[in-house]
Amino acid sequence: MTLAAVPDETAPATRRPRRNVVLPLVLFALLAVLPLAAASMSAGYLLDLFVRVMIFAIAALSVELLIGHAALVTFGQAAFVGIGAYAVGILDAHETNDLVVALPAALLASGLFAFATGLVCLRTKGVYFIMITLAFGQMAFFTASSLAPYGGDDGLTIHDRTTLFGFAVLDRPLAFYYVVLAVLIAVHLFCRALVASRFGRVLRGAKDNALRMTTLGFRVYRFQLAAYVIAGMIGGLAGFLLANATEFVSPAYMSWQRSGELIIMVLLGGLGTLHGAIVGAAAYLLLEEWLAGLTEHWKMIFGPLLVLVVVFVRGGLVGIGTALSAAVSRRLRRG
Amino acid sequence: MLTVENLEAGYGETPVLFDVGFRVAAGEVVTLLGRNGMGKTTTIRALMGLVRPTGGSVALDGVPVTGLPPYRIAQLGLGLVPEGRQVFPTLTVRENLVATAAARFGDRWTLDRVYDFFPRLAERRGHLGSQLSGGEQQMLAIGRALMTNPRLLILDEATEGLAPLIRAEIWRGLSRLKRDGQAILLVDKHLDAMTRLADRHVVLEKGHVVWTGTSAALAADQTVRQRWLQV
Amino acid sequence: QAPEKLKVGVIATLSGPPAVLGQQIRNGFQLAVKELGGKLGGREVEVLVQDDELKPDVAVGKVKALVERDKVDFVVGPVFSNILQAIVKPATEGGTILISPNAGTSNYAGRDCNPNLFVTSYQNDQMHEVSGKYAQDKGMKTAFIMAPNYQAGKDSLAGFKRWFKGDVVDEVYVPLNQLDYSAELSKIAAAKPSVVFVFLPGGMGVNFVKQYRQAGLAETIPVLSTFTVDESTLPAQQDAALGFFAGSNWAPNLDNPKNKAFVAAYEAAFGAVPATYAFQAYDTAMLIDSALKATKGDTKDKDALRAALKKADFVSLRGDFKFNTNNYPIQDFYLTKVAKRPDGKYQTEIVSKVFDDYADAYVGSCKMK
Amino acid sequence: MSTTLLVVQVLNGLQLGVLLFLIAAGLTLVFGVMDFINLAHGVQYMLGAYLAVMFYGLTGSFVAALVLALAAALAFGLLLEAVVFRHLYGRDHLDHVIATFGIILFLNSAVKYVWGAAPLSLPVPEALTGSVALAPGLLYPVWRLVIIGSGLVVAVLLWALVSFTRIGMLVRAGATNPEMVSALGVDIRRLFTLVFGFGAMLAGFAGIMIAPILSVEPGMGDTILILAFVVIVIGGIGSIRGAFVAALLIGLVDTLGRSFAVDILRLFLSSSTARTVGPALASMLIYLLMAVVLYVRPTGLFPAKGR
Amino acid sequence: MAEPILALKGLRKQFGGLVVTDSVDLSVAPGELHAVIGPNGAGKTTLINQISGVLPADSGTILFAGHDVTRLAPHERARRGLARTFQITSVLPTFSALENVAIAVQARAGSSFRLFGDAAAEPALNTPAMAALAEVGLAERADVPAGHLSHGEKRALELAMAIVTEPKLLLLDEPMAGTGREETARLITVLRRLKGRFAMMLVEHDMTAVFALADHISVLIYGRILLGGRPDEVREDPQVVAAYLGDEIEFER
Ligand SMILES: Nc1ncnc2c1ncn2[C@@H]1O[C@H](COP(=O)(O)OP(=O)(O)OP(=O)(O)O)[C@@H](O)[C@H]1O
Ligand SMILES: Nc1ncnc2c1ncn2[C@@H]1O[C@H](COP(=O)(O)OP(=O)(O)OP(=O)(O)O)[C@@H](O)[C@H]1O
Ligand SMILES: [Mg+2]
Ligand SMILES: [Mg+2]
């Protein structure tokens, strides 16, 4: 539905998702050398900040997988992050914090929750899907808030970060930083492969025209459920890292505002490109950090900035890059 | 009445029309012919303002309308039956007909007359647009355009999906309209019916006008029929 | 050569509906610094204010930034208990002193007490105990008690019941940020208790008080409360809150010269009557000032600094003030009542002293001496 | 639990429902009927309340404040439409989400900047203070009755507008295919502008009417927004009737849940467990309701047909 | 005669008070091209929707290749070899024409739960897809997003998607609607070539195509089968002429 003659450029003209290799490579290279550059400055702070950025990038990737490649706009993704975090927190409260237990627990818990709620949520579509995922997110939130033995609304302090076979590998900030980076890269590569695979193509097909896919013989529901569970587990993975980074878990990690922020990050970066989620998470958090340092009323700047990005740039921040490079190459072609 | 000159248009970066020019005089029936994908629909969209022309001009009674928004052009008397029906799915049949009805150029077409013309629509008046069969939707799209009482009626594949009986009915209806002085611009695939009905024909090939002429000339000119229309 | 500037990081909630509380903390602290000539303990001071956005993980990030990037000597904050839980570890781990000017949870008063954490407000339960004790002392027979359904809410009703031995006719937990209280008001009207006790902070309190008044209950059943009617909500509640009671460790009209001056100065500077948050932040600045005076401005020797803080060698706006072994205060508590001042503004005023030199109930389980 | 209390709580539930409908009305129009996801609905509601407080301060009259605030809300809605929304018609829903989210951030912060962070209040108009006795011992504040009345009026008005007027038809048609409406000679953009303005005014109206019973504070629209979405989703997007029924249903379920959850649970559980589970359940109840409704009817109670 | 590939018994569908298909009995023999004609709104599309499972039948049974599929979900019927096209064009608009057909190949191949490997580069999918595109005359348009194709081209694409699944029965809902004269002629050739490979049920208002292709014609009027027979029988039937064909049949070509 377009008024007047706006060419539909949102429909990518390529046969497969644009396989941009350069931008992700640059992103990861920058993240990899950051600690070296940071060494001279207040290293600990910068590392912490970027660990946070990368963790949210992982969570945003899970959202991007669903929204950008399966048209499942989930408004409850924070619940999975929270569940992953609580798995770490609750185990810690019982003095179990080795990776071999904590990580599978986080993945399993978030995966199971995704499976159970996905069965219900995927009956609906569009805005109904948005709202029903919100509903389950809120239920998770309220449940966590009333977990009195684990701090309820006040949250739960984690006494020791996750260990690997008893070795406290994550205690050194630099080590933790590189672990998070490695996870981010792994998740990105995984999502990339997934999207390009037969499975990913079915998801994208269902996004385009679910009825057609069904009559072609695909049981769309199953594919979407699988994607939902995968995304939920990636969310749980992010939660696992977040709990370790903040050494604290709280129901606030599951609030609907947080789910909303994840969506905004993905959209800000540019829907449909996986690295867009990373760019979006980084832009959102760094802008927030920077603007909040300037003025208490930083949202009066941040809000209009978002509006500008949507109104004038198609395809988010990554879209700016694409548009710029297209303009440059056109220039070059003309000579 | 309608003058199209050197019209150029396209989608995004892809040009589709390069040099399209033709006229429709008052009371005249003109067709656009050409194979699939040659730019017939694009021509219609461009002159309705639904695609912004990149060059050339469209004028109604000498008044240039190029670049005007679609609703202004429609208000000047163009009534469109679009390709693919595009009825309003969430409106009932009756609502589809009255929502955009207008009587700027006479009020020959009223709800009752449209119902008379398509009794099937009267039977289904309370149904939603999306609940109609393909053919019923097509009737609705035609009725909807008539309800704007246009000076120039534009039909883009208006008989698509209609049963032969109804199709024949439509052709008869169109000749009645013609007799009443209604100007019509027509895209369709039923060449014989069109030759009988229309005064002149415009043949499009890859966005260029390659032939124009009367029905008699078309019937006579074997090369055109073979080369551009594959008949 | 001038000594290096002292750095204090203030972390408080400055966005969203509770921003007004964070602002009071920031304002109170800055007012004190200004009165001290921009110095604490004789050292030039730089105050860095951060907004925790009421998100624990954001707060952790901000506190780490203060401690690791800005290398602050003190962190002052936050407003809310759940943020306190999140920031105690990152703030105090490296030896930085955290002073909470408002949140005072039970775990840090007892089991998890921490030599680098000082609380200048109260242990949360105490504020609720005031109402319970008062109701008990006055011989009220039946009470209807209500709080939001979260940890602090449960603590509050437990605190009330610790002293109130009458009949609790109903104990209601409402969803956080509930807007409409008709259902609860109908229950109250049906139960006809001798007294209602509520803990409904912020906007919830405003909504409740207005609706309670509109339902015509304010004339018949008295309301005891905590954080429901205070100077941060009174501008919105106005006449509707007149006559409501609250438990507190302070009130603007508390009769001592320093307090009078503080209230006047605060109103002059910020155009609003200060609430407990502001005065506690003010006291916090005074506490730091007193400690640095004792250490001659030195913040490196942490043991000396902690000892100096623990002495609390300053005149608190609330009068009697000293630290218990768990670094929580021992102080007096009052019942206050909402009144309209001659100048048309609203404030809480002291009705009676309910506790004298009152210590919290958790200190026993704190191992610190 | 006595029968009278039950009756009273049912009444309370219905009145909460009407209140919710009043809040959701503008959203139903702009989102449900026009198919534009306007997350800024909540802040427009907030702005209505603030404007009323401001104009009340200036004029001292509730009626004047109402009229002026409505006009200002309309003007602001038109401004927003011209500056932001206009560029987003026909775009993906997600573009609406991010742009209107930006507006939320801006307005919440701007309101704090202009009016301060402390909650404000708007008094009940003098003539409408006090309560009436609906039954012996059952007092009901007059202002509540006024809110209920205006909620019902808005419901009828909106329903009639959307279902029976030509404007309503055109808006519904434009929601699915604006290009075609335009090609048939209707300036759909201007119409959308008007509808947006009207939607903004409805949001503002809800804010003004509810301000006397609630606290006027920054961010007051955020929770409301989610509630309003829950209402129109349960009702079935695009259906005014559905939104109305859903609002009443939510009001009832929420109120009765809050009132009786603990008592009911006590029938099956120990008293202390009931005390902990009950309230937690009560807070989740509307979400539970939404999940159940959508499970059984994936497009709401009264699904819009033909989409 | 061999067992029919499709047998409908007493199929019925009602929308509110409107009975759209009413005790329809019909059978399609293997390899047969069975045309269903009838006035607009007679229930032809509804019939196809019921057979393909898009709409549940109110009553009656659908036997497909000897099995009762009346209660099966659409995707299960598709898996058993029931393919269809849509009257109102239904393709995947952001996928290229080639990808549209390739995913149809993938549907037939199964194994779509492969999470790794670049699907767009698989010859096993692309080669048959390309062949099908060539067959319907869209080879040159392989890389164009389906959303950017002209109306007639989309119709051809629909057909390519259907035939590439190599079904046992193909349901065609007005494949010629909206295609030009030349394309109609080509589609007729394509369908004629496919005849015998699998059975087809053709709903079409283009009588040239129907009479050129059909082995058997059923006439559906107001939800009921009026009559069925060989094309020449149907063409001469006065009832059919009166209700459907009209007096001046356009046999233009
Ligand atoms: N939305 C679009 N975006 C990009 N290209 C388009 C779009 N619509 C049409 N085209 C291209 O423009 C050309 C002309 O299309 P047009 O629809 O005008 O053809 P037509 O003559 O009406 O054909 P048909 O008989 O099939 O309807 C085609 O090559 C088509 O691929
Ligand atoms: N969802 C629905 N609700 C109500 N009525 C419907 C619905 N779908 C179809 N109908 C009605 O059922 C009748 C049969 O529709 P169907 O689409 O099967 O006709 P058809 O034979 O395919 O016609 P055409 O040749 O015009 O495509 C029509 O009159 C239509 O209005
Ligand atoms: Mg065309
Ligand atoms: Mg049909």
Side-chain angles (χ1 to χ4, degrees):
Chain A
M1 80 176 212
T2 22
L3 263 188
V6 192
D8 187 11
E9 286 162 348
T10 45
T14 43
R15 267 201 269 146
R16 34 177 134 154
R18 211 172 278 121
R19 315 223 70 194
N20 194 332
V21 195
V22 183
L23 193 53
L25 272 181
V26 171
L27 274 177
F28 293 136
L30 281 180
L31 285 172
V33 299
L34 180 102
L36 309 177
S40 53
M41 294 179 270
S42 31
Y45 156 71
L46 266 191
L47 288 189
D48 282 338
L49 179 61
F50 275 86
V51 160
R52 192 175 149 73
V53 165
M54 290 189 292
I55 292 172
F56 275 89
I58 295 170
L61 270 172
S62 73
V63 174
E64 157 68 17
L65 194 63
L66 292 179
I67 301 186
H69 302 273
L72 298 173
V73 183
T74 166
F75 199 0
Q77 199 66 6
F80 301 106
V81 178
I83 289 171
Y86 263 95
V88 177
I90 291 176
L91 285 174
D92 177 77
H94 297 286
E95 275 144 34
T96 308
N97 41 27
D98 202 78
L99 186 82
V100 285
V101 183
L103 185 59
L107 294 180
L108 205 68
S110 46
L112 278 179
F113 186 68
F115 182 75
T117 59
L119 280 176
V120 177
C121 294
L122 287 165
R123 283 174 59 89
T124 64
K125 287 184 197 56
V127 176
Y128 296 99
F129 181 80
I130 301 184
M131 293 306 285
I132 197 168
T133 49
L134 167 82
F136 281 112
Q138 287 292 82
M139 287 185 223
F141 171 81
F142 286 122
T143 307
S145 303
S146 52
L147 274 185
Y150 303 107
D153 184 71
D154 277 349
L156 180 63
T157 301
I158 291 174
H159 299 286
D160 298 294
R161 279 188 174 167
T162 301
T163 54
L164 180 58
F165 303 122
F167 295 105
V169 278
L170 297 186
D171 275 1
R172 295 201 15 244
L174 203 60
F176 188 57
Y177 180 92
Y178 279 110
V179 167
V180 175
L181 177 60
V183 173
L184 174 64
I185 295 177
V187 169
H188 179 257
L189 289 178
F190 173 75
C191 290
R192 223 178 142 94
L194 192 73
V195 169
S197 71
R198 288 186 171 204
F199 177 80
R201 188 190 250 179
V202 175
L203 285 182
R204 282 185 297 122
K207 172 187 168 195
D208 248 20
N209 186 343
L211 177 62
R212 192 72 185 99
M213 292 299 283
T214 309
T215 49
L216 278 175
F218 293 105
R219 188 166 181 187
V220 168
Y221 183 78
R222 277 209 202 162
F223 290 85
Q224 289 178 334
L225 186 59
Y228 194 69
V229 171
I230 290 173
M233 290 170 77
I234 297 176
L237 181 61
F240 168 84
L241 295 172
L242 186 65
N244 273 297
T246 56
E247 297 174 78
F248 186 73
V249 295
S250 156
Y253 293 180
M254 305 192 183
S255 72
W256 64 266
Q257 287 93 339
R258 186 47 64 71
S259 296
E261 280 173 11
L262 288 174
I263 299 179
I264 299 296
M265 287 174 188
V266 168
L267 299 181
L268 182 66
L271 204 57
T273 57
L274 290 167
H275 49 277
I278 303 175
V279 172
Y284 188 94
L285 293 172
L286 295 179
L287 259 177
E288 175 174 330
E289 179 76 17
W290 176 58
L291 288 175
L294 291 184
T295 157
E296 179 195 327
H297 302 288
W298 60 276
K299 285 180 182 162
M300 281 174 75
I301 308 172
F302 193 51
L305 225 53
L306 286 180
V307 175
L308 284 182
V309 170
V310 187
V311 171
F312 292 109
V313 195
R314 289 269 178 122
L317 294 175
V318 171
I320 299 186
T322 320
L324 279 181
S325 67
V328 168
S329 67
R330 221 176 302 138
R331 234 336 119 73
L332 289 179
R333 239 182 295 142
R334 285 209 202 100
Chain B
M1 180 167 60
L2 176 76
T3 317
V4 178
E5 276 169 0
N6 310 102
L7 194 62
E8 292 172 20
Y11 300 93
E13 301 254 297
T14 354
V16 173
L17 304 182
F18 299 92
D19 177 17
V20 175
F22 61 91
R23 295 159 172 277
V24 183
E28 197 181 22
V29 176
V30 175
T31 73
L32 289 179
L33 303 176
R35 286 174 295 130
N36 282 151
M38 290 299 124
K40 304 179 295 289
T41 299
T42 308
T43 304
I44 285 171
R45 292 176 62 82
L47 64 91
M48 282 299 308
L50 293 168
V51 165
R52 189 171 290 276
T54 47
S57 70
V58 180
L60 262 174
D61 289 330
V63 184
V65 299
T66 339
L68 287 186
Y71 75 93
R72 290 283 307 133
I73 298 181
Q75 285 170 359
L76 290 170
L78 265 50
L80 176 66
V81 179
E83 182 176 76
R85 311 172 188 94
Q86 308 208 22
V87 299
F88 302 122
T90 52
L91 269 57
T92 62
V93 167
R94 201 188 72 86
E95 288 174 336
N96 261 286
L97 291 172
V98 300
T100 54
R104 287 179 211 98
F105 306 98
D107 55 357
R108 288 169 301 145
W109 289 99
T110 59
L111 198 56
D112 289 337
R113 267 204 71 193
V114 170
Y115 283 158
D116 275 351
F117 201 74
F118 296 118
R120 188 80 194 179
L121 291 184
E123 284 170 37
R124 293 277 180 273
R125 70 183 81 195
H127 276 58
L128 293 180
S130 58
Q131 295 174 336
L132 296 182
S133 82
E136 289 163 347
Q137 289 188 355
Q138 195 65 60
M139 300 174 201
L140 183 56
I142 299 175
R144 183 178 64 182
L146 291 175
M147 288 288 284
T148 67
N149 286 294
R151 290 196 298 163
L152 172 65
L153 182 63
I154 303 178
L155 300 146
D156 194 354
E157 316 245 9
T159 62
E160 172 187 339
L162 290 181
L165 196 66
I166 308 292
R167 209 153 55 206
E169 193 55 45
I170 299 261
W171 293 125
R172 269 196 295 275
L174 289 181
S175 25
R176 273 205 306 278
L177 283 179
K178 184 185 172 190
R179 236 176 294 131
D180 293 350
Q182 173 78 60
I184 299 173
L185 180 63
L186 196 61
V187 175
D188 211 287
K189 67 172 182 179
H190 296 283
L191 198 55
D192 291 352
M194 287 199 291
T195 341
R196 255 176 279 137
L197 177 70
D199 301 302
R200 287 187 307 112
H201 307 271
V202 177
V203 179
L204 285 181
E205 171 76 12
K206 301 213 163 131
H208 296 271
V209 172
V210 291
W211 190 88
T212 5
T214 61
S215 286
L218 184 67
D221 193 336
Q222 271 307 316
T223 31
V224 176
R225 292 172 65 95
Q226 269 171 13
R227 177 135 174 242
W228 307 118
L229 305 174
Q230 259 86 21
V231 180
Chain C
Q1 169 208 339
E4 209 188 321
K5 265 196 180 177
L6 181 78
K7 282 188 176 175
V8 179
V10 173
I11 177 145
T13 305
L14 293 169
S15 47
V20 60
L21 311 185
Q23 289 179 352
Q24 289 237 2
I25 290 200
R26 182 194 59 195
N27 294 347
F29 194 86
Q30 285 177 337
L31 183 66
V33 171
K34 199 167 132 228
E35 284 181 6
L36 295 170
K39 293 181 180 168
L40 288 178
R43 271 174 74 180
E44 291 280 341
V45 57
E46 183 182 349
V47 179
L48 307 164
V49 182
Q50 296 277 8
D51 177 8
D52 61 39
E53 300 177 37
L54 200 46
K55 297 175 189 159
D57 52 333
V58 169
V60 169
K62 296 275 165 84
V63 164
K64 283 188 176 171
L66 287 173
V67 172
E68 293 177 15
R69 177 187 57 188
D70 305 323
K71 310 253 181 313
V72 295
D73 303 285
F74 297 90
V75 176
V76 172
V79 181
F80 291 98
S81 304
N82 59 337
I83 303 293
L84 181 69
Q85 302 281 10
I87 67 172
V88 166
K89 192 173 177 192
T92 59
E93 225 166 17
T96 310
I97 306 284
L98 172 65
I99 308 181
S100 167
N102 191 58
T105 56
S106 53
N107 61 330
Y108 292 115
R111 172 168 53 86
D112 298 332
C113 65
N114 182 326
N116 291 329
L117 169 67
F118 290 81
V119 174
T120 55
S121 47
Y122 37 71
Q123 198 287 310
N124 295 347
D125 294 9
Q126 294 176 306
M127 298 288 265
H128 313 296
E129 289 172 10
V130 176
S131 294
K133 177 82 161 34
Y134 181 81
Q136 180 67 17
D137 290 353
K138 285 282 173 241
M140 291 170 168
K141 297 216 161 42
T142 53
F144 181 103
I145 62 180
M146 174 159 73
N149 184 35
Y150 67 129
Q151 202 50 47
K154 288 174 188 151
D155 292 348
S156 84
L157 298 194
F160 180 85
K161 288 192 289 186
R162 195 165 292 148
W163 290 92
F164 180 73
K165 296 300 164 210
D167 185 18
V168 173
V169 291
D170 207 346
E171 183 175 337
V172 171
Y173 292 100
V174 297
L176 201 55
N177 295 325
Q178 176 165 309
L179 302 170
D180 184 32
Y181 291 87
S182 331
E184 290 74 18
L185 293 177
S186 297
K187 273 191 161 183
I188 294 175
K192 298 200 182 60
S194 352
V195 69
V196 171
F197 169 72
V198 294
F199 162 64
L200 294 169
M204 302 181 78
V206 176
N207 300 346
F208 173 77
V209 167
K210 282 179 156 189
Q211 295 170 20
Y212 193 79
R213 173 77 58 184
Q214 285 163 8
L217 288 167
E219 285 81 28
T220 52
I221 306 168
V223 177
L224 297 169
S225 70
T226 23
F227 303 108
T228 306
V229 289
D230 67 20
E231 289 72 19
S232 72
T233 58
L234 283 175
Q237 294 157 329
Q238 302 190 340
D239 284 349
L242 285 180
F244 279 61
F245 295 99
S248 183
N249 58 349
W250 171 89
N253 78 333
L254 190 66
D255 197 12
N256 69 57
K258 273 206 79 168
N259 189 44
K260 284 210 171 100
F262 162 75
V263 173
Y266 190 95
E267 286 186 34
F270 306 108
V273 188
T276 47
Y277 317 95
F279 112 82
Q280 285 158 183
Y282 184 94
D283 266 9
T284 304
M286 292 303 170
L287 169 69
I288 296 175
D289 180 62
S290 71
L292 288 183
K293 277 191 182 128
T295 65
K296 311 233 166 11
D298 179 37
T299 53
K300 300 280 178 308
D301 181 349
K302 295 293 177 193
D303 286 333
L305 185 61
R306 281 190 289 259
L309 283 166
K310 201 143 193 166
K311 280 211 189 74
D313 187 13
F314 71 103
V315 184
S316 167
L317 297 180
R318 72 197 101 175
D320 293 354
F321 179 94
K322 60 177 186 273
F323 278 120
N324 208 337
T325 52
N326 59 354
N327 293 356
Y328 275 57
I330 297 176
Q331 59 186 325
D332 303 342
F333 288 89
Y334 306 90
L335 189 81
T336 65
K337 183 176 178 178
V338 177
K340 190 171 186 173
R341 299 197 312 205
D343 66 356
K345 289 185 175 163
Y346 298 83
Q347 68 181 19
T348 55
E349 294 181 352
I350 294 194
V351 176
S352 63
K353 187 188 276 189
V354 178
F355 290 118
D356 192 61
D357 284 344
Y358 189 48
D360 63 79
Y362 301 92
V363 64
S365 34
C366 170
K367 293 196 198 70
M368 285 195 309
K369 284 285 148 325
Chain D
M1 105 178 67
S2 70
T3 358
T4 24
L5 189 57
L6 185 65
V7 172
V8 173
Q9 298 298 35
V10 167
L11 261 183
N12 283 329
L14 292 177
Q15 79 90 22
L16 177 63
V18 177
L19 191 125
L20 287 177
F21 179 80
L22 188 60
I23 294 169
L27 193 68
T28 335
L29 185 69
V30 171
F31 172 47
V33 182
M34 219 174 98
D35 200 30
F36 187 102
I37 297 202
N38 181 19
L39 296 187
H41 182 79
V43 285
Q44 286 171 324
Y45 156 89
M46 170 182 75
L47 194 67
Y50 267 99
L51 288 169
V53 171
M54 180 179 79
F55 287 120
Y56 182 81
L58 294 177
T59 62
S61 144
F62 187 89
V63 177
L66 176 73
V67 173
L68 289 172
L70 277 182
L74 173 67
F76 184 78
L78 294 177
L79 181 77
L80 261 190
E81 199 274 343
V83 176
V84 182
F85 298 159
R86 179 167 299 178
H87 308 285
L88 301 175
Y89 298 147
R91 295 264 203 102
D92 195 274
H93 275 162
L94 292 171
D95 282 352
H96 305 166
V97 167
I98 184 167
T100 51
F101 180 76
I103 295 171
I104 294 184
L105 292 184
F106 176 77
L107 268 189
N108 271 337
S109 193
V111 154
K112 200 174 81 184
Y113 183 77
V114 177
W115 283 288
L120 303 178
S121 88
L122 182 68
V124 177
E126 201 61 50
L128 300 170
T129 49
S131 346
V132 288
L134 290 185
L138 172 54
L139 285 180
Y140 229 71
V142 177
W143 187 248
R144 295 265 179 176
L145 297 176
V146 175
I147 292 182
I148 294 178
S150 50
L152 294 175
V153 169
V154 166
V156 171
L157 199 83
L158 210 57
W159 176 65
L161 177 80
V162 170
S163 316
F164 301 116
T165 67
R166 202 156 137 168
I167 292 196
M169 290 174 206
L170 287 173
V171 172
R172 277 182 288 142
T176 50
N177 195 340
E179 182 179 79
M180 203 53 228
V181 177
S182 179
L184 287 164
V186 175
D187 186 355
I188 186 73
R189 291 203 169 210
R190 203 188 53 189
L191 193 66
F192 276 7
T193 307
L194 286 178
V195 173
F196 250 115
F198 188 58
M201 213 166 82
L202 280 178
F205 180 66
I208 300 164
M209 293 305 287
I210 295 170
I213 61 169
L214 296 186
S215 135
V216 178
E217 57 188 11
M220 67 187 275
D222 296 1
T223 349
I224 288 289
L225 175 73
I226 293 294
L227 272 181
F229 266 102
V230 172
V231 165
I232 63 175
V233 161
I234 290 187
I237 296 163
S239 165
I240 308 256
R241 182 174 55 141
F244 190 75
V245 173
L248 293 188
L249 190 65
I250 292 175
L252 271 180
V253 166
D254 187 51
T255 304
L256 296 181
R258 262 158 45 208
S259 318
F260 302 118
V262 176
D263 298 304
I264 293 172
L265 284 175
R266 245 195 297 244
L267 300 177
F268 318 101
L269 301 169
S270 75
S271 185
S272 66
T273 330
R275 275 217 183 288
T276 40
V277 178
L281 200 64
S283 349
M284 287 186 216
L285 217 50
I286 62 166
Y287 296 104
L288 211 58
L289 175 73
M290 177 160 75
V292 170
V293 167
L294 292 186
Y295 183 75
V296 182
R297 307 191 57 134
T299 47
L301 293 176
F302 297 90
K305 298 190 198 92
R307 278 256 169 91
Chain E
M1 200 179 122
E3 190 191 351
I5 183 78
L6 177 76
L8 308 181
K9 294 207 185 77
L11 210 57
R12 183 183 164 90
K13 181 79 202 172
Q14 188 167 345
F15 293 112
L18 183 72
V19 181
V20 176
T21 58
D22 194 2
S23 35
V24 172
D25 296 324
L26 185 152
S27 65
V28 180
E32 178 184 56
L33 196 147
H34 189 127
V36 176
I37 62 172
N40 295 118
K44 304 179 294 296
T45 300
T46 307
L47 196 61
I48 289 195
N49 283 339
Q50 285 172 284
I51 300 171
S52 62
V54 172
L55 280 176
D58 290 349
S59 61
T61 51
I62 304 169
L63 288 182
F64 177 63
H67 297 279
D68 186 347
V69 298
T70 322
R71 300 274 161 261
L72 290 190
H75 67 93
E76 286 170 295
R77 303 187 198 192
R79 297 223 147 239
R80 288 167 185 241
L82 195 63
R84 73 166 291 182
T85 68
F86 284 81
Q87 177 173 7
I88 298 175
T89 317
S90 185
V91 293
L92 310 174
T94 70
F95 280 36
S96 69
L98 179 66
E99 236 190 336
N100 265 281
V101 188
I103 199 158
V105 181
Q106 189 180 321
R108 183 194 61 194
S111 70
S112 286
F113 263 98
R114 265 189 223 162
L115 303 189
F116 298 99
D118 188 355
E122 282 188 52
L125 300 181
N126 289 344
T127 315
M130 206 57 219
L133 280 183
E135 197 151 20
V136 299
L138 280 179
E140 279 176 34
R141 309 287 275 163
D143 285 343
V144 179
H148 290 193
L149 294 176
S150 87
H151 189 56
E153 291 168 332
K154 282 184 198 149
R155 309 294 334 204
L157 180 60
E158 279 248 5
L159 187 63
M161 289 169 74
I163 59 179
V164 87
T165 58
E166 298 202 349
K168 296 201 184 98
L169 172 66
L170 175 56
L171 306 170
L172 296 160
D173 199 355
E174 301 200 27
M176 276 79 171
T179 60
R181 308 172 50 81
E182 184 198 358
E183 287 76 4
T184 307
R186 176 167 42 218
L187 290 182
I188 290 177
T189 326
V190 172
L191 292 182
R192 190 172 284 138
R193 205 168 340 134
L194 294 173
K195 260 177 81 166
R197 284 238 297 269
F198 42 77
M200 283 181 262
M201 183 185 224
L202 173 68
V203 169
E204 186 50 69
H205 290 301
D206 186 326
M207 289 306 114
T208 323
V210 169
F211 288 117
L213 288 167
D215 302 313
H216 186 102
I217 298 180
S218 293
V219 183
L220 189 70
I221 290 182
Y222 290 122
R224 289 173 169 275
I225 301 283
L226 180 71
L227 79 147
R230 289 196 317 277
D232 47 338
E233 293 167 0
V234 171
R235 184 184 300 183
E236 304 307 324
D237 189 284
Q239 284 186 80
V240 180
V241 171
Y244 181 66
L245 293 174
D247 38 12
E248 42 169 352
I249 311 172
E250 311 155 64
F251 282 108
E252 32 161 338
R253 176 107 303 266

